[in-house]
Amino acid sequence: GNSVTQMEGPVTLSEEAFLTINCTYTATGYPSLFWYVQYPGEGLQLLLKATKADDKGSNKGFEATYRKETTSFHLEKGSVQVSDSAVYFCALRRYNQGGKLIFGQGTELSVKP
Amino acid sequence: DVKVTQSSRYLVKRTGEKVFLECVQDMDHENMFWYRQDPGLGLRLIYFSYDVKMKEKGDIPEGYSVSREKKERFSLILESASTNQTSMYLCASSIQGTPAVTQYFGPGTRLLVL
């Protein structure tokens, strides 16, 4: 079946450090891939997405590249800020799944000044 | 801006009570979803609806039902609340279309069942 696996958190970084959150997936065909972010006390919001192999999604300094050969969609940011502290969710959607998203377990990021 | 609102941010109920969680979206979206969020488990789909009066079970529908009488409103019902339904509940909506469409989430309802 379809599934998404993220690296376990919490991840604690100092401000301006480099961030990588690993995400790998299992799915047949060519799913669309997403990163959602949940700031404290809020719902989820879309951070970035990619719809086919080798696509790079980017937003707010975050990037992720759809790697079909390694079934991965790792999230990266070159220099994190305290305001990036949040929970990050990787997700996939298959074409014939009626819009349903399958989420990873979430990775909590804490950035210290 | 798309807005998805949920009727309560925090709710405390007793075991056996019937609980209604309401979700309203203002962007005329066809699809609406209910998820529950638990630490270490991410978000799991309870039910979704792709049209008025239409519903489909998600991955964990047991103990829940839903109602969609109007396009903008999607209700989650806990027929007889139990302590293992203590969780964060998130509603989302989206247009119908390609797999790349964005889901828009409400702020969540944190439910405690005593």
Side-chain angles (χ1 to χ4, degrees), chain B residues 67-92:
Chain B
S67 172
R68 193 163 180 203
E69 296 296 319
K70 293 185 178 181
K71 191 175 186 180
E72 68 271 17
R73 190 180 297 270
F74 191 36
S75 302
L76 180 69
I77 304 154
L78 286 65
E79 296 290 343
S80 178
S82 63
T83 54
N84 64 11
Q85 291 178 310
T86 290
S87 187
M88 169 75 91
Y89 290 88
L90 291 164
C91 175

Side-chain angles (χ1 to χ4, degrees), chain A residues 31-32 34 36 38 41-46 49 51 87 89 93-106, chain B residues 9 31 33 35 37-38 40-43 45 48 57-59 88 90 94 98-108:
Chain A
S32 294
F34 304 81
Y36 278 81
Q38 184 179 36
E42 298 183 13
L44 277 70
Q45 55 185 274
L46 179 68
K49 63 184 178 184
T51 58
V87 181
F89 292 92
R93 183 189 294 130
R94 286 189 59 204
Y95 183 79
N96 62 347
Q97 293 291 302
K100 293 188 290 185
L101 284 169
I102 296 169
F103 286 89
Q105 71 269 40
Chain B
R9 292 300 299 270
N31 293 341
F33 307 83
Y35 295 91
Q37 180 182 2
D38 299 290
L41 296 177
L43 276 71
L45 183 65
F48 71 102
K57 293 180 180 179
D59 300 316
M88 169 75 91
L90 291 164
S94 75
T98 71
V101 297
T102 300
Q103 281 191 18
Y104 295 88
F105 284 81

Side-chain angles (χ1 to χ4, degrees), chain A residues 43-103:
Chain A
L44 277 70
Q45 55 185 274
L46 179 68
L47 182 59
L48 54 84
K49 63 184 178 184
T51 58
K52 60 183 187 296
D54 300 325
D55 262 4
K56 179 185 281 189
S58 61
N59 186 25
K60 298 181 181 179
F62 291 90
E63 292 183 341
T65 301
Y66 189 142
R67 300 284 188 203
K68 183 139 182 78
E69 64 276 11
T70 54
T71 62
S72 65
F73 192 54
H74 303 322
L75 183 68
E76 296 182 336
K77 187 176 186 183
S79 176
V80 294
Q81 306 301 312
V82 172
S83 57
D84 294 326
S85 297
V87 181
Y88 293 82
F89 292 92
C90 185
L92 72 80
R93 183 189 294 130
R94 286 189 59 204
Y95 183 79
N96 62 347
Q97 293 291 302
K100 293 188 290 185
L101 284 169
I102 296 169
F103 286 89

Side-chain angles (χ1 to χ4, degrees), chain B residues 6-18:
Chain B
Q6 295 183 228
S7 51
S8 306
R9 292 300 299 270
Y10 301 94
L11 214 48
V12 180
K13 296 292 181 181
R14 298 238 174 245
T15 301
E17 279 192 76
K18 192 168 186 176

